[in-house]
Amino acid sequence: MSNHAIQVENLSKAYRIGLKEEIPDTFMGAATGWLKAPLRNLRRLRRLNTFAENAGQNGDAKDQLPEKNGNSCEPASDTIWALRDVSFEVQPGEVVGIIGRNGAGKSTLLKILSRITDPTSGRAVINGRVSSLLEVGTGFHPELTGRENIYMNGTILGMTKREIDRKFDEIVDFSGVEKFLDTPTKRYSSGMTVRLAFSVAAHLEPEILIIDEVLAVGDQEFQNKCLGKMNEVAHSGRTVLFVSHNMAAVEGLCMKAIHLSGGQLSHIGETHDVIAGYLQHGLTIASEIDLSDHPRRVRGMQSVLKSVSISLGDGSSVNQIPLGSDIRFDVVVDPPRPIRYARLAIRLFNSVGLRVTTCHNEYQHPEPIAIAGKTTLRCIMRNCRLAPGAYTVNLQFDDHRVALDKIDSCAGLEIIPTDIYGTSRVLPTHAAIVFPEVEWSVRAGGMGERLAASFKAC
Ligand SMILES: Nc1ncnc2c1ncn2[C@@H]1O[C@H](COP(=O)(O)OP(=O)(O)OP(=O)(O)O)[C@@H](O)[C@H]1O
Ligand SMILES: [Mg+2]
């Protein structure tokens, strides 16, 4: 038997999506469709029966595909691979973040690990009692009261009534729903449900805690409380799997992270590196990027931003920018009409999604910029002291106070360490957001008035 808390081997999960509604565009099409319908339905019924047989005891057998020759299930137009050939291991006591874009397969993975759904192929071995908080309300029976649900969840986890009694007050205190303890949970708001569900999952001493996106629900105060509690659970030696879109939370909590992309494992490793890779994923670094038809253009914006090039101050194109360099942004815009007050914002976000700086012509170029037709706006950021790491760039173009175009994460750049202080020391990458120019002086004694003056003089 392995010593891993979780061992995932070649895990795949295929779902059948609702078959597309075929809307015939001619009367003949409709008529033939109607004649063929019984045959089609019979085929579907046969296929469903095969799925159910192959899916064994699984609850959502209808959604599953049978395993044929290992992972080589035939791709069908109504099949979606939510997970594909994912393998990794988690050691007891590890706190692992799972990140990825919407639809990457994160929740599917957690559902398989929590035994809510079966994989199509591959396997997941879990050593330890699992408590999971997947979606608002999962694990709660809506007709039972909050109190009854606490006991039911504890019992499922294998705890005795006395053990649950001991934890009861703590759970209720944390959740803040004591006034509604004897109300059926179907009457709870989604915020109240998630409060109680999180509290139950985190306090019932599971060996493995699986949390999906709990921070998306609830106010800031509750989110901070959850993070604090998860930190406590993590430090008590439990294994935690945590899915979130909040990179700062993942970075703060997890020692290791997994990046899923299109159902596949893209990267597993040290959290900071995995997050940086995720934010850079699909971004073009330091070259001319066509923005005319960009997928991350904010909804409702016009295509005014046409391209962006990122290079060193002298225009040389590089993939990595040494710390302390000048960085040049050449942004081509083509507004549909002449603009009297063109305003361009270039915003840089670091690997945890924090906006570290904004270069804006209004802040740094006092005269209004008037443009007509295709124009290149150049901004040179001198002596860039941003900490080494990966950054994403957002652009926004306004006509005076009206936003005409905005694109999120339209480019990426990477700053690499250099001996910026001339001390031949490797700068600790995670220690700072900026490395400014600094002066140090040293004097013996405390900070009396005379000494303060002598510091000024030096
Ligand atoms: N029951 C289902 N039936 C059909 N397709 C499903 C089902 N559940 C998930 N999917 C599909 O599987 C893919 C992975 O979904 P999943 O919910 O795991 O993504 P996710 O990474 O959790 O996304 P998000 O960040 O939006 O929560 C998606 O394309 C989704 O539409
Ligand atoms: Mg999800």
Side-chain angles (χ1 to χ4, degrees):
M1 196 169 134
S2 79
N3 296 324
H4 310 300
I6 299 171
Q7 190 173 15
V8 170
E9 281 175 11
N10 307 107
L11 206 63
S12 296
K13 172 79 181 179
Y15 283 114
R16 295 190 61 217
I17 44 175
L19 293 171
K20 266 198 211 142
E21 207 187 350
E22 288 159 15
I23 303 168
D25 47 14
T26 62
F27 174 73
M28 277 307 285
T32 31
W34 180 74
L35 285 171
K36 284 183 191 159
L39 193 63
R40 197 168 51 226
N41 289 342
L42 186 68
R43 261 194 243 120
R44 281 183 197 170
L45 196 65
R46 279 222 189 106
R47 203 153 25 139
L48 275 180
N49 283 340
T50 327
F51 295 158
E53 276 162 26
N54 280 276
Q57 305 156 339
N58 177 45
D60 61 1
K62 285 196 295 301
D63 293 339
Q64 304 218 22
L65 283 174
E67 187 182 346
K68 295 178 191 165
N69 310 325
N71 284 331
S72 60
C73 285
E74 278 171 31
S77 55
D78 57 352
T79 301
I80 183 159
W81 287 93
L83 280 182
R84 219 166 198 176
D85 215 11
V86 171
S87 303
F88 63 88
E89 284 151 6
V90 176
Q91 307 307 328
E94 275 188 329
V95 182
V96 181
I98 300 173
I99 59 175
R101 296 201 192 285
N102 297 118
K106 305 179 295 294
S107 299
T108 305
L109 174 63
L110 296 197
K111 279 183 194 161
I112 295 174
L113 296 178
S114 313
R115 304 280 182 239
I116 287 173
T117 188
D118 281 344
T120 308
S121 62
R123 62 179 201 142
V125 180
I126 315 270
N127 292 317
R129 278 189 327 196
V130 176
S131 172
S132 52
L133 176 54
L134 298 186
E135 281 152 17
V136 177
T138 46
F140 276 179
H141 193 296
E143 299 294 340
L144 299 183
T145 64
R147 184 188 304 276
E148 289 162 342
N149 268 303
I150 294 175
Y151 280 93
M152 187 186 77
N153 272 273
T155 312
I156 291 171
L157 270 178
M159 296 174 78
T160 62
K161 179 169 179 306
R162 189 175 298 179
E163 281 172 324
I164 306 171
D165 283 345
R166 240 187 328 112
K167 289 277 163 191
F168 190 84
D169 288 346
E170 225 179 303
I171 293 174
V172 175
D173 270 4
F174 187 95
S175 71
V177 301
E178 58 270 42
K179 274 207 278 186
F180 306 93
L181 264 187
D182 296 308
T183 306
T185 52
K186 69 179 178 189
R187 307 240 177 274
Y188 283 23
S189 69
S190 55
M192 282 160 68
T193 313
V194 88
R195 275 169 173 267
L196 187 60
F198 178 85
S199 189
V200 169
H203 286 87
L204 287 183
E205 302 192 337
E207 282 150 335
I208 302 172
L209 179 63
I210 295 183
I211 302 280
D212 190 354
E213 224 27 303
V214 69
L215 300 171
V217 189
D219 50 36
Q220 194 60 46
E221 185 213 333
F222 179 67
Q223 291 185 9
N224 292 341
K225 222 166 123 178
C226 287
L227 277 175
K229 184 67 200 171
M230 281 200 275
N231 211 3
E232 209 181 293
V233 174
H235 280 99
S236 66
R238 311 274 162 75
T239 309
V240 181
L241 284 196
F242 173 48
V243 164
S244 180
H245 288 283
N246 180 337
M247 292 305 128
V250 174
E251 171 116 30
L253 197 69
C254 307
M255 49 186 84
K256 184 171 160 184
I258 293 173
H259 170 199
L260 288 179
S261 171
Q264 291 179 309
L265 193 146
S266 166
H267 190 185
I268 178 166
E270 206 259 310
T271 308
H272 189 84
D273 299 342
V274 176
I275 292 179
Y278 163 58
L279 292 175
Q280 291 283 309
H281 196 71
L283 294 178
T284 318
I285 296 176
S287 60
E288 182 168 335
I289 299 159
D290 184 5
L291 303 175
S292 320
D293 197 16
H294 200 280
R296 284 192 280 272
R297 171 161 279 116
V298 172
R299 196 186 291 251
M301 295 284 122
Q302 310 172 36
S303 174
V304 176
L305 293 157
K306 295 299 177 191
S307 71
V308 57
S309 308
I310 304 172
S311 53
L312 292 183
D314 62 3
S316 50
S317 185
V318 284
N319 279 331
Q320 293 170 317
I321 296 168
L323 174 61
S325 306
D326 294 347
I327 308 179
R328 187 164 109 182
F329 299 88
D330 286 309
V331 181
V332 177
V333 293
D334 193 2
R337 52 186 157 78
I339 305 276
R340 283 181 60 198
Y341 295 99
R343 299 168 79 235
L344 178 69
I346 303 170
R347 305 186 178 103
L348 262 57
F349 293 77
N350 71 2
S351 61
V352 294
L354 182 77
R355 188 197 297 185
V356 288
T357 191
T358 302
C359 301
H360 198 303
N361 66 287
E362 197 176 63
Y363 306 160
Q364 290 129 7
H365 184 286
E367 288 83 41
I369 298 176
I371 59 173
K374 198 175 216 179
T375 309
T376 303
L377 296 165
R378 172 170 294 172
C379 166
I380 300 180
M381 194 195 291
R382 299 273 178 219
N383 187 14
C384 176
R385 296 269 185 160
L386 293 175
Y391 294 84
T392 51
V393 179
N394 288 18
L395 294 177
Q396 179 169 341
F397 182 81
D398 298 350
D399 175 6
H400 202 209
R401 301 285 163 210
V402 180
L404 294 186
D405 199 1
K406 183 178 179 194
I407 309 178
D408 291 331
S409 303
C410 60
L413 58 91
E414 187 183 0
I415 295 182
I416 52 167
T418 53
D419 186 13
I420 196 164
Y421 295 125
T423 54
S424 307
R425 288 197 173 240
V426 177
L427 294 176
T429 346
H430 311 338
I433 292 174
V434 285
F435 285 104
E437 286 189 66
V438 181
E439 271 181 34
W440 288 90
S441 6
V442 181
R443 287 278 185 281
M447 188 63 188
E449 244 173 58
R450 193 181 52 80
L451 279 169
S454 78
F455 262 115
K456 264 187 218 144
C458 79

